[in-house]
């Protein structure tokens, strides 16, 4: 017996937010399988496999810590290595995820041009695929803290809301960019160019307090600043008042998620026309 | 009886970009948007497919039949009207959807199954029979990039039919794979049909449509032209093919018709003896004679022929594009013959002659359809008789 409600009910190009939410819920199984697929495919051919997922951010953090402390003599933070690593954990998750997530819809053309599922699943699967590497890096930060004589207090619990905010911001960014990318293929290059600059206007290797002038303004508008502040407060501490940067992160997150919802509701049913 | 598919006034319009849209150029182009051409791929389709029905859609390339299919699969939304489908849909728009080259066959079954709406558990339950049907036991843990195209297709089809869809959408996929597997696919589709699965099939293969489908929709240039039982629909399709002004669909898509320059007076098939005929023996030399009149002065004229197989497939097209007829004054009578040997298998064929300008962009006239029957050599099958010689070499004593 067939259900009375049609499984495909198309009239006009847009999808209502409620229906999109329902379709996403129904696609949860697909989301899990696609995330797993993404994760496996990425490291399949490498002999060290998933070790690369954490080796890369760790190596990058080590190089940066070394270069900036020995060469550039940034010594603003008392525990510089932990300071950099605590910044690298959210930053590398963010940058890795958005560079793959922004192009996820177009990159999965052989999937999305031949079968329907809510297209938002594709960028969201990238979010989940990178989660493993992220969690391991966070765990390493926590393990390194006692090693570098950084005492962990109850503030460490801030890592949870910090992670949620990070995920939500990354999701908002990926969903918005992936929808725009269908119509403007330049998005791929804009995102990689932006990431190069973005790294230096994010207080990953230096404390936010060191910035001045125009850099200061960019830092204050940067949604990643508030998130990094939360990570530092949770681990090395010494960040100072962070209510404003966190609120700015929150505002960006909500803004991007709203834009993403509007874009996907309006266009996701006709993405396939341009793939 | 309840409907599985309902289309009401459904139409799909595409925007044809000259190139992929770029931020800069599209920003500069805001003022004259009309430059972006808008095309209706298909329009005004009202259709109801009942639960359990086997339905066919036929039409030439670019007639909009595949667009109809993508709307039924929910891949793209209609620009106007509505599309409704009840039940789990398995689109076989292309087999092996979502197969990832680096993943093994087994892993791909999970991905593909999830795309078709199966839960992990349901996939695990069916794994054995999916692998078994595809006949790839030994390769199930090999990455699919090492699969042959046949194995790829078999696995894709196997997953789709094992998803137990209520609606199976098949777009030309059965043209691939080896003969044994095609037979197996037909059997499986028949089985699904008996079990009450609704099947919608898009195909060029009119024989397959005749065998599989009850009712058939004929679409031409995005417009539904005929809806009825398979034999009548196929006849209607032949009618459209023969009355068409756009014969060379592959070459003709960019051509426009310019009337009042050339008028065709007659076109006929002549047998080996030079007399008009409607019946030809395989391999016999025949010719097609065209008489036409130039109504205005024309610099260069190209005459071409297209030959259609019994199922409507164009089997041969040629022209004198390299050596066009030069400088025809108004009132000149043009008579030309195209000679060839009928290297064809048995069946009724049609031929159409066309007269184009030398730049091949403008069609000036088209002949009425010439029909003829070929009695082929009885060992020959397919679309052409290449007159293979099968010789045994003298055995050499070592």
């Amino acid at each position: 017996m067939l259900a009375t409600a049609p499984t495909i009910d198309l009239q006009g190009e847009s999808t209502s937010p409620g229906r999109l939410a329902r379709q996403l819920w129904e696609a949860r199984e697909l989301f899990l399988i696609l995330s797993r697929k993404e994760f496996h495919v990425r490291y399949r051919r490498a002999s060290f496999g998933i070790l690369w997922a954490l080796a890369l951010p760790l190596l990058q953090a080590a190089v940066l810590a070394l270069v900036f402390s020995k060469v550039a003599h940034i010594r603003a933070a008392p525990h510089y290595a932990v300071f950099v690593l605590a910044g690298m954990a959210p930053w590398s998750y963010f940058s890795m995820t958005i560079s793959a997530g922004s192009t996820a819809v177009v990159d999965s053309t052989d999937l999305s041009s031949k079968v329907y599922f809510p297209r938002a699943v594709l960028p969201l699967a990238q979010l989940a695929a990178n989660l493993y590497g992220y969690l391991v890096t966070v765990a390493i930060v926590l393990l390194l803290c006692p090693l570098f004589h950084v005492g962990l207090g109850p503030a460490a619990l801030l890592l949870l809301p910090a992670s949620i905010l990070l995920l939500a911001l990354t999701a908002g960014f990926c969903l918005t960019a992936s929808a725009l990318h269908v119509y403007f293929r330049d998005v791929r290059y804009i995102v990689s160019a932006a990431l190069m600059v973005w790294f230096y206007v994010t207080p990953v290797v230096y404390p936010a307090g060191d910035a001045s002038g125009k850099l200061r303004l960019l830092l204050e508008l940067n949604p990643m600043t508030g998130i990094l502040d939360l990570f530092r407060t949770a681990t090395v501490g010494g960040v100072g008042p962070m209510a404003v940067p966190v609120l700015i992160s929150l505002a960006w997150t909500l803004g991007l998620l709203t834009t993403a919802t509007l874009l996907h509701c309006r266009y996701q049913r006709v993405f396939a026309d341009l793939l | 009886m309840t409907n599985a598919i309902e289309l009401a006034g459904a139409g799909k319009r595409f925007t044809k970009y000259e190139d992929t849209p770029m931020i800069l150029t599209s920003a500069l182009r805001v003022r004259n948007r009309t430059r972006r051409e808008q095309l209706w791929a298909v329009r005004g389709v009202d259709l109801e497919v009942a639960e359990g029905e086997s339905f066919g859609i036929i039409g030439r390339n670019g007639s909009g039949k595949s667009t109809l299919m993508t709307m039924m699969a929910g891949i793209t939304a209609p620009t106007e009207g509505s599309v409704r489908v009840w039940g789990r849909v398995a689109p076989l728009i292309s087999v092996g959807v979502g197969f990832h080259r680096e993943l093994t066959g087994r892993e791909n079954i999970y991905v593909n199954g999830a795309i078709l709406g199966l839960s992990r558990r349901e996939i695990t339950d069916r794994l054995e029979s999916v692998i078994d049907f595809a006949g790839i036991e030994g390769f199930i843990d090999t990455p699919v990039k090492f699969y042959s195209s046949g194995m790829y297709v078999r696995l894709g089809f196997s997953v789709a039919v094992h998803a137990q869809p209520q609606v199976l959408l098949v777009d030309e996929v059965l043209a691939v794979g080896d003969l044994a597997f095609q037979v197996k696919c037909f059997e499986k589709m028949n089985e699904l049909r008996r079990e009450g699965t609704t099947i919608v099939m898009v195909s060029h293969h009119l024989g397959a449509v005749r065998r599989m489908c009850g009712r058939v929709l004929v679409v031409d240039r995005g417009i539904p032209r005929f809806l009825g039982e398979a034999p009548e629909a196929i006849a209607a399709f032949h009618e459209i093919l023969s009355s068409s002004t756009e014969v060379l669909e592959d070459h003709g898509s960019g051509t426009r018709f310019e009337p009042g320059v050339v008028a065709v007076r007659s076109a006929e098939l002549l047998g080996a003896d030079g007399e008009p005929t409607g019946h030809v023996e395989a391999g016999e030399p025949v010719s097609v004679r065209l008489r036409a009149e130039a109504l205005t002065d024309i610099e260069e004229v190209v005459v071409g022929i297209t030959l259609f197989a019994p199922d409507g497939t164009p089997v041969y097209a040629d022209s004198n594009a390299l050596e066009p007829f030069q400088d025809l004054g108004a009132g000149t009578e043009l008579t030309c013959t195209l000679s060839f040997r009928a290297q064809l298998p048995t069946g009724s064929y049609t031929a159409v002659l066309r007269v184009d300008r030398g730049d091949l962009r403008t069609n000036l006239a088209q002949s009425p359809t010439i029909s003829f029957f070929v009695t082929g050599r009885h060992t020959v099958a397919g679309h052409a008789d290449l007159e293979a010689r099968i010789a045994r070499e003298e055995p050499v004593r070592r």
Side-chain angles (χ1 to χ4, degrees):
Chain A
M1 272 277 87
L2 298 182
T4 39
T7 40
I8 294 173
D9 188 356
L10 297 170
Q11 196 161 10
E13 292 177 348
S14 16
T15 319
S16 74
R19 178 184 275 196
L20 186 58
R22 200 160 355 106
Q23 288 181 354
L24 279 171
W25 174 247
E26 282 161 8
R28 61 192 185 280
E29 195 88 31
L30 173 65
F31 163 73
L32 287 176
I33 286 178
L34 283 181
S35 324
R36 206 168 296 148
K37 170 192 130 176
E38 273 308 316
F39 182 75
H40 280 297
V41 165
R42 200 163 307 165
Y43 304 107
R44 158 134 312 179
R45 308 265 321 259
S47 330
F48 289 101
I50 53 175
L51 280 177
W52 286 111
L54 54 139
L56 290 181
L58 282 181
L59 184 67
Q60 196 180 0
V63 169
L64 289 170
L66 207 70
V67 168
F68 282 91
S69 64
K70 301 288 184 224
V71 182
H73 301 291
I74 295 181
R75 288 192 170 280
H79 308 285
Y80 191 62
V82 183
F83 174 87
V84 171
L85 197 60
M88 271 318 286
W91 173 259
S92 61
Y93 176 74
F94 180 73
S95 64
M96 273 170 69
T97 309
I98 66 171
S99 52
S102 301
T103 57
V105 173
V106 173
D107 290 344
S108 303
T109 299
D110 31 321
L111 218 69
S112 30
S113 65
K114 275 152 195 160
V115 67
Y116 176 75
F117 52 88
R119 307 311 190 197
V121 166
L122 295 167
L124 290 176
Q126 296 290 342
L127 248 80
N130 286 331
L131 212 52
Y132 177 84
Y134 169 73
L135 291 176
V136 176
T137 354
V138 171
I140 288 175
V141 174
L142 292 176
L143 288 175
L144 283 181
C145 278
L147 225 67
F148 283 86
H149 310 292
V150 176
L152 286 174
L157 290 176
L158 274 179
L159 283 176
L160 190 65
S163 299
I164 293 172
L165 188 56
L166 173 67
L167 281 176
L169 176 73
T170 315
F173 194 97
C174 288
L175 288 168
T176 306
S178 62
L180 291 175
H181 184 224
V182 175
Y183 294 91
F184 308 106
R185 297 297 163 97
D186 307 49
V187 166
R188 182 191 299 271
Y189 306 104
I190 293 173
V191 168
S192 40
L195 275 175
M196 274 191 265
V197 181
W198 206 333
F199 176 76
Y200 291 100
V201 296
T202 303
V204 181
V205 290
Y206 56 87
D210 282 10
S212 58
K214 289 220 175 77
L215 181 62
R216 176 98 215 148
L217 183 71
L218 282 173
L219 225 68
E220 275 167 5
L221 290 175
N222 183 350
M224 283 305 283
T225 306
I227 290 175
L228 261 71
D229 280 357
L230 280 171
F231 273 82
R232 261 67 181 264
T233 309
T235 52
V236 285
V239 172
M242 52 168 192
V244 176
V246 171
L247 280 177
I248 286 180
S249 300
L250 209 59
W252 270 101
T253 306
L254 293 178
L256 283 171
L257 283 175
T258 313
T259 316
T261 311
L262 292 175
L263 283 173
H264 277 264
C265 284
R266 171 61 187 87
Y267 292 112
Q268 64 122 5
R269 273 288 185 183
V270 287
F271 280 170
D273 296 354
L274 288 174
L275 295 179
Chain B
M1 195 179 241
T2 41
N3 283 334
I5 300 172
E6 282 178 18
L7 272 70
K12 179 77 193 177
R13 187 178 57 202
F14 286 109
T15 306
K16 191 174 135 195
Y17 292 96
E18 284 172 357
D19 198 0
T20 44
M22 288 182 276
I23 286 182
L24 207 67
T25 48
S26 61
L28 292 174
R29 225 183 264 169
V30 171
R31 284 191 182 177
N32 49 349
R33 284 211 159 180
T34 44
R35 259 202 211 168
R36 295 188 303 179
E37 223 178 310
Q38 302 214 303
L39 300 170
W40 285 95
V42 63
R43 200 170 192 189
V45 181
D46 292 292
L47 185 67
E48 290 183 2
V49 179
E51 200 188 313
E53 195 178 347
S54 293
F55 192 85
I57 302 175
I58 56 178
R60 290 180 293 174
N61 284 334
S63 59
K65 55 190 193 310
S66 291
T67 306
L68 269 177
M69 202 65 131
T70 53
M71 288 197 287
M72 289 181 192
I75 296 164
T76 187
T79 315
E80 61 178 27
S82 67
V83 175
R84 288 195 174 79
V85 183
W86 285 263
R88 192 207 310 265
V89 182
L92 275 170
I93 304 288
S94 139
V95 181
V97 161
F99 275 2
H100 199 294
R101 291 168 46 77
E102 298 285 342
L103 296 182
T104 67
R106 188 190 304 276
E107 290 163 328
N108 269 309
I109 293 175
Y110 279 94
V111 175
N112 214 330
I115 289 167
L116 294 173
L118 294 178
S119 70
R120 224 184 142 68
R121 172 177 220 104
E122 285 174 305
I123 301 166
T124 309
D125 289 346
R126 292 160 208 211
L127 201 61
E128 280 301 309
S129 54
V130 170
I131 298 171
D132 191 48
F133 184 84
I136 51 161
E137 293 83 357
F139 297 88
I140 195 62
D141 291 311
T142 308
V144 296
K145 64 177 172 183
F146 297 120
Y147 280 26
S148 69
S149 59
M151 289 160 73
Y152 207 82
V153 168
R154 294 206 297 270
L155 185 59
F157 186 83
S158 183
V159 179
V161 293
H162 284 88
Q164 284 173 342
Q166 272 112 29
V167 179
L168 183 69
L169 304 174
V170 189
D171 188 351
E172 214 66 80
V173 282
L174 297 179
V176 279
D178 56 71
L179 194 65
F181 188 70
Q182 282 187 27
V183 170
K184 209 167 160 188
C185 287
F186 271 116
E187 279 168 8
K188 187 71 189 176
M189 277 165 70
N190 270 323
E191 189 187 316
L192 288 172
R193 192 167 58 164
R194 279 194 299 275
E195 289 165 3
T197 309
T198 311
I199 297 175
V200 179
M201 180 167 167
V202 161
S203 187
H204 280 112
H205 198 297
L206 299 180
V209 170
R210 198 194 304 264
R211 246 177 301 157
M212 290 293 301
C213 305
R215 286 193 309 152
V216 172
L217 174 75
V218 183
V219 275
D220 192 48
R221 294 173 201 209
I223 298 162
R225 295 282 291 271
F226 185 88
L227 174 62
E229 296 300 313
E232 285 102 79
I234 289 169
F237 179 52
H238 277 298
E239 190 71 22
I240 290 171
L241 278 182
S242 58
S243 66
S244 168
T245 52
E246 235 175 77
V247 180
L248 291 165
E249 51 186 56
D250 292 334
H251 313 276
S253 53
T255 59
R256 54 171 202 278
F257 176 62
E258 189 181 345
V261 182
V262 168
V264 171
R265 298 292 176 223
S266 73
E268 54 194 350
L269 183 79
L270 309 175
D273 54 0
E275 293 299 314
T277 181
H279 181 246
V280 176
E281 297 282 334
E284 196 184 343
V286 289
S287 52
V288 179
R289 185 197 289 145
L290 174 81
R291 285 184 211 279
E293 190 186 333
L295 304 175
T296 60
D297 293 347
I298 324 162
E299 236 175 81
E300 282 188 336
V301 164
V302 173
V303 175
I305 183 170
T306 306
L307 195 65
F308 296 94
D311 66 358
T313 316
V315 284
Y316 174 69
D318 202 354
S319 72
N320 65 330
L322 294 178
E323 292 165 282
F325 299 123
Q326 309 279 346
D327 299 316
L328 272 69
T332 317
E333 174 139 328
L334 172 71
T335 304
C336 65
T337 49
L338 294 81
S339 312
F340 58 94
R341 287 203 303 134
Q343 290 176 271
L344 298 164
T346 305
S348 46
Y349 292 78
T350 49
V352 175
L353 299 173
R354 53 186 275 150
V355 183
D356 291 328
R357 271 199 198 279
D359 62 0
L360 297 177
R361 296 238 174 91
T362 318
N363 176 235
L364 302 174
Q366 185 120 13
S367 76
T369 306
I370 304 163
S371 305
F372 59 99
F373 190 85
V374 175
T375 309
R377 298 190 297 130
H378 67 270
T379 49
V380 177
H383 279 319
D385 180 357
L386 299 182
E387 296 176 2
R389 267 189 222 194
I390 300 160
R392 185 182 167 183
E393 290 182 20
E394 278 303 309
V396 179
R397 201 182 295 272
R398 287 181 198 275

